[in-house]
DNA sequence: AAGATAGGCAAGTGCCGACTTGCCTGTCAA
DNA sequence: TTGACAGGCAAGTCGGCACTTGCCTATCTT
């Protein structure tokens, strides 16, 4: 469970996918592929992105809903709380004035 | 930089090391080896733990100080803030009543 | 109906990371 | 000074993971 979460976050491409889903919710596989190619110069196959999404979904970071032939993907950052909760954080949040 | 952080957290053994350093600060390499073996049944070589500590140190999660022939390791959870800061967290902290 | 579109499944490849083994350096005690 | 103790360096093995390729299914359009 926690293992899946950290493993999902380990890959930079997957983190970029999370970034894109944070910026625009409910994207399809092809939309994400297009964004990765144009905005991040990531020439990657559709299947590769699909496999990344499967990993992210297994970690609970992405939820998907099917509508007709489309499959929309949504970001869920709730599992990220487990990370900060595991180890004690220092008091000062490093405020930049 | 962020790459090193996520990669360091990807390995379960390294996360266990962070757990041990959170519980007891300033441990030496041999102390950590002993704790992993006894408390977590992790039969791992000393060099493996040393390499893990190097990865954690590169990620900024562990700081080390040398004193004579001993080298003490301390946990630094400050880099973990970057994770929660990267993606927007939902408002509700999921309070379990 | 047929073609286009959105996505899935499965096998294969190549590389990186975790781990071991062997040996070497530096520090302290007897 | 010799040996024990704490740690470091370097090469080698091995498994898992990211990615591709090829083919298949389902849905919508004309």
């Amino acid at each position: 469970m926690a293992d899946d979460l950290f493993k999902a976050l380990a890959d930079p491409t997957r983190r970029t996918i999370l970034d894109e889903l944070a910026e625009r919710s409910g994207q399809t596989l092809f939309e994400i592929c297009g964004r990765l190619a144009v905005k991040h110069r990531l020439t990657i196959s559709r299947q590769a992105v699909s496999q990344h999404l499967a990993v992210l979904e297994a970690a609970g970071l992405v939820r998907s809903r099917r509508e007709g032939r489309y499959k929309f993907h949504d970001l869920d950052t709730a599992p990220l709380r487990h990370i900060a909760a595991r180890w004690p954080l220092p008091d000062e949040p490093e405020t930049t004035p």
Side-chain angles (χ1 to χ4, degrees), chain A:
Chain A
M1 37 173 61
D3 218 272
D4 294 333
L5 174 61
F6 286 103
K7 229 159 210 178
L9 291 172
D11 187 83
T13 302
R14 281 196 286 269
R15 294 196 299 271
T16 306
I17 292 177
L18 293 182
D19 290 337
E20 288 307 310
L21 286 180
E23 184 178 324
R24 190 172 203 270
S25 195
Q27 293 189 64
T28 70
L29 174 58
F30 276 70
E31 285 182 271
I32 298 172
C33 284
R35 289 213 164 198
L36 291 180
V38 173
K39 293 182 57 180
H40 302 274
R41 311 284 184 202
L42 270 177
T43 57
I44 203 180
S45 78
R46 176 182 55 88
Q47 283 77 3
V49 179
S50 179
Q51 288 167 7
H52 280 311
L53 285 171
V55 174
L56 289 171
E57 210 165 347
L61 289 167
V62 163
R63 302 200 183 278
S64 64
R65 47 196 160 92
R66 189 112 202 202
E67 285 181 24
R69 63 174 158 174
Y70 298 104
K71 189 180 182 186
F72 302 104
H73 301 270
D74 297 285
L75 177 65
D76 185 6
T77 55
L80 293 179
R81 296 196 182 280
H82 300 331
I83 301 179
R86 179 162 179 172
W87 298 286
L89 287 178
D91 302 328
E92 286 299 284
E94 194 179 317
T95 50
T96 45

